[in-house]
Amino acid sequence: MWAVILKSRRMTCSFVSQSLTLTYNTNTTTCYTTLLFNNSRPPRSLHNSGSLPGPISWPAAIRAFCSKLRRVNEKVVPSLQRSMQNPESISYLTQREAAEIDETLMGPLGFSVEQLMELAGLSVATSIAEVYRPSEHNRVLAICGPGNNGGDGLVAARHLYHFGYKPFVCYPKRTPKLLYNGLVTQLESLSVPFLSVEDIPVNLSKDFDIVVDAIFGFSFHGAPRPPFDDLIQRLVSLHSYNQSRQNSPVIVSVDIPSGWHVEEGDIGGQGIKPDMLVSLTAPKLCAKSFHGPHHFLGGRFVPPAVADNYKLHLPSYPGTSMCVRIGKPPQVDISALREDYISPELLEEQVETDPIDQFRKWFDDAVTAGLREPNAMALSTTGKDGKPSSRIVLLKGVDKDGFVWYTNYGSRKGRDLSENPHASILFYWDGLNRQVRVEGSVQKVSDEESEQYFHSRPQGSQIGAIVSKQSTLIPGRHFLHQQYKELEEKFSDGSVIPKPKHWGGYRLKPELFEFWQGQKSRLHDRLQYSPREMNGKRVWEISRLAP
């Protein structure tokens, strides 16, 4: 990816100053900014005018550059975000533009090759993990070329190892630089196998689930030479295996598919047909010819100033992700979606005799596993009309008396429960292949208990409970915001917010439990706890249900 190593400070400075000259029209600003990036002193006439403060440093140059573009960017970004809703508006770079941006990042903006390579390789690894689970696509072969694209592949292999994959690396033309030697050492310390070209089978389908094409980047020119010409042909042949419906590993190309023209794409139509393309910085023009199911953008290192200077229209990265899908996800045959669960067996002799204790044990496992909102549960109710209704609520307490949640008593679930005080709740912990289903009768918790919980909530949540007449029609979101703002001002003095009478808790008293553990071939474990009387006491009987 990072094809351009800075040849001199002057080259970078000249490029940036030229770009800035095109961006700003004020003569004094243009002159001053150009001088900043040339790291030279301004003419004496400017000093005498009092317009400039004296000798100029590189940090000052960077601040001036970013400050100027940031002010422009504040006006431009909202319109760019609106245009991002259309995938066709995403920017595609020419080879020259890609090289210039690299040069800018590694010049006045202070990025090193090592930093960019680390971010690029991590982006590739996270893109792979986004689509291909290690339980299904575990064996990864990273074919790395001698340049920076190969370095991205080495970094990706290291991250994939830590993500739970089993990577192999083919690195036939090693670059004798400290950076690359370090990456090799890191992989060797993890016992990642390095394969020679001779070690790689002609038919890659038998030994690998994913092949990472990290051979050539956008700076490559001419025809591939040995041994990469043969390796590329092996990747090309995988498309033939796919067409003949044989099992074939998926191909993930880094930045551009190796052998493609960076702007014209797969000239002749006989090149690699990757299943996934991970564009870096911004897609290159050849990516318009990519027709595989998965196109991701990775990197997340382009500063707003650079994006604005090049008028780059790029999608926003979700949350903390290092990758973002470009365009629409592939059309999926819903009937073909299936997961073959791999879990430890759930055996009668291993579970707790009390289902509440067993629930606590599984709930603690979900918390320890770091699953998001392990207390989320689907609550199903029916009113007197017999029509079921389900929604997700949050568990706020569990003890020997049952499961507690809080809500608006006037909501649909509240109305249902007033007509039919029975419900079921369902917990689903995807990361552990587990479900817990509980059925029982429902009653309101005491006013004291509701009051205590209400005042333990953040002030914003307390106000929100008052504002929202849950399940009723409202004229728009502005209506909520206006009422919220009024109450926020009313209680800004820190006074106690009274709990509304229409808000409080419910407790489901369990009458039936089912613990479900996903297993291979749909032979799931289902253990049911049902109550019965024994010697005048209520005990729980454990039965196994067919999956």
Side-chain angles (χ1 to χ4, degrees):
M1 174 191 177
W2 316 108
V4 182
I5 303 296
L6 298 182
K7 296 180 180 179
S8 69
R9 179 181 295 179
R10 180 170 298 178
M11 179 187 295
T12 301
C13 301
S14 174
F15 157 69
V16 177
S17 63
Q18 290 168 10
S19 301
L20 289 171
T21 302
L22 293 173
T23 306
Y24 304 108
N25 297 324
T26 305
N27 292 334
T28 304
T29 302
T30 301
C31 174
Y32 182 28
T33 310
T34 303
L35 290 166
L36 283 171
F37 280 91
N38 281 327
N39 199 26
S40 59
R41 296 174 66 90
R44 184 168 303 187
S45 58
L46 286 178
H47 272 302
N48 293 338
S49 69
S51 302
L52 298 179
I56 299 164
S57 65
W58 269 85
I62 296 168
R63 285 194 296 272
F65 174 57
C66 295
S67 176
K68 278 286 182 183
L69 288 183
R70 190 178 297 114
R71 287 196 290 273
V72 177
N73 199 46
E74 288 171 355
K75 300 177 181 178
V76 175
V77 163
S79 62
L80 292 185
Q81 290 175 338
R82 288 193 295 272
S83 68
M84 279 301 93
Q85 297 174 6
N86 177 14
E88 297 300 320
S89 67
I90 293 174
S91 298
Y92 291 80
L93 300 178
T94 65
Q95 187 176 37
R96 180 185 62 81
E97 289 169 337
E100 288 179 350
I101 290 175
D102 270 12
E103 198 170 302
T104 304
L105 290 170
M106 292 187 288
L109 295 184
F111 284 93
S112 66
V113 179
E114 290 92 333
Q115 288 176 314
L116 295 176
M117 193 175 289
E118 184 66 29
L119 292 169
L122 177 58
S123 300
V124 172
T126 54
S127 298
I128 291 172
E130 190 82 13
V131 176
Y132 305 111
R133 295 189 177 187
S135 59
E136 299 170 356
H137 295 79
N138 185 250
R139 304 165 301 170
V140 182
L141 173 63
I143 305 177
C144 301
N148 293 322
N149 236 47
D152 296 344
L154 295 173
V155 173
R158 169 162 47 78
H159 285 294
L160 288 170
Y161 172 88
H162 291 296
F163 291 172
Y165 296 83
K166 186 179 180 182
F168 299 79
V169 175
C170 177
Y171 188 27
K173 296 287 185 181
R174 301 193 179 191
T175 303
K177 292 182 180 178
L178 221 61
L179 167 60
Y180 298 88
N181 289 338
L183 294 175
V184 170
T185 300
Q186 293 162 19
L187 290 166
E188 288 175 339
S189 71
L190 300 173
S191 299
V192 172
F194 278 77
L195 306 179
S196 67
V197 176
E198 293 74 24
D199 293 330
I200 299 177
V202 175
N203 179 6
L204 297 172
S205 302
K206 296 179 179 179
D207 297 287
F208 304 106
D209 305 306
I210 301 173
V211 179
V212 178
D213 161 31
I215 302 174
F216 297 130
F218 66 76
S219 64
F220 180 79
H221 295 280
R225 291 179 292 183
F228 299 111
D229 53 351
D230 176 63
L231 289 170
I232 289 174
Q233 283 308 305
R234 295 195 205 184
L235 297 183
V236 171
S237 68
L238 289 178
H239 183 62
S240 302
Y241 287 115
N242 262 333
Q243 289 181 326
S244 62
R245 297 190 178 182
Q246 296 185 29
N247 289 331
S248 177
V250 297
I251 302 175
V252 178
S253 288
V254 178
D255 212 19
I256 69 168
S258 295
W260 282 28
H261 189 283
V262 67
E263 295 175 2
E264 298 176 24
D266 181 16
I267 301 174
Q270 302 301 312
I272 297 172
K273 303 291 190 297
D275 302 88
M276 174 185 282
L277 175 62
V278 184
S279 293
L280 299 170
T281 306
K284 313 308 177 286
L285 274 178
C286 67
K288 290 188 174 182
S289 303
F290 171 71
H291 300 296
H294 306 292
H295 188 188
F296 281 80
L297 176 65
R300 200 168 190 169
F301 44 68
V302 179
V306 172
D308 180 69
N309 193 41
Y310 283 89
K311 296 180 173 59
L312 297 182
H313 292 210
L314 300 175
S316 299
Y317 287 85
T320 58
S321 179
M322 289 298 297
C323 62
V324 57
R325 184 182 285 275
I326 296 178
K328 296 180 180 179
Q331 293 295 318
V332 175
D333 178 5
I334 296 177
S335 67
L337 291 176
R338 52 180 52 89
E339 180 81 21
D340 204 16
Y341 303 105
I342 300 176
S343 311
E345 292 180 331
L346 181 63
L347 303 176
E348 289 86 338
E349 61 268 21
Q350 294 177 350
V351 297
E352 302 293 332
T353 56
D354 189 312
I356 292 290
D357 293 336
Q358 181 62 32
F359 174 83
R360 286 183 178 278
K361 183 178 179 180
W362 271 22
F363 185 85
D364 290 344
D365 288 345
V367 172
T368 302
L371 302 186
R372 187 168 181 262
E373 291 196 313
N375 60 328
M377 60 186 191
L379 169 67
S380 297
T381 58
T382 56
K384 62 184 178 182
D385 59 4
K387 295 180 180 179
S389 173
S390 298
R391 75 288 290 159
I392 300 295
V393 298
L394 296 178
L395 176 71
K396 289 301 178 181
V398 59
D399 54 28
K400 296 296 182 181
D401 294 324
F403 297 78
V404 176
W405 69 93
Y406 293 87
T407 188
N408 188 307
Y409 290 145
S411 64
R412 177 172 176 178
K413 53 186 172 294
R415 296 195 301 270
D416 282 354
L417 290 170
S418 68
E419 298 170 357
N420 177 15
H422 294 84
S424 71
I425 55 178
L426 173 67
F427 296 86
Y428 176 56
W429 297 308
D430 175 62
L432 299 174
N433 303 329
R434 289 175 175 174
Q435 297 182 55
V436 180
R437 185 166 60 88
V438 189
E439 298 176 2
S441 59
V442 179
Q443 61 185 19
K444 291 180 180 179
V445 305
S446 67
D447 286 340
E448 293 77 15
E449 194 172 344
S450 292
E451 190 83 36
Q452 183 179 6
Y453 175 70
F454 181 81
H455 289 113
S456 73
R457 306 173 88 206
Q459 185 188 55
S461 297
Q462 295 181 44
I463 294 175
I466 300 173
V467 167
S468 175
K469 306 298 186 288
Q470 202 174 90
S471 302
T472 62
L473 297 176
I474 59 174
R477 188 164 181 80
H478 66 279
F479 176 78
L480 293 176
H481 282 300
Q482 181 59 37
Q483 288 197 316
Y484 184 94
K485 185 177 180 181
E486 290 173 1
L487 286 176
E488 192 176 37
E489 292 175 356
K490 179 179 179 180
F491 295 108
S492 61
D493 59 356
S495 57
V496 175
I497 302 174
K499 181 188 80 65
K501 293 181 178 180
H502 62 256
W503 190 94
Y506 287 102
R507 177 178 281 104
L508 182 144
K509 185 174 182 178
E511 296 168 0
L512 185 76
F513 282 84
E514 182 190 320
F515 292 84
W516 180 97
Q517 178 79 69
Q519 299 292 356
K520 296 186 68 175
S521 303
R522 294 298 183 264
L523 299 179
H524 311 310
D525 289 316
R526 295 176 64 191
L527 295 185
Q528 177 179 281
Y529 288 73
S530 51
R532 66 184 180 90
E533 291 291 327
M534 179 181 287
N535 300 326
K537 294 183 178 181
R538 188 191 199 209
V539 296
W540 293 94
E541 184 176 44
I542 301 175
S543 307
R544 179 170 289 271
L545 303 177

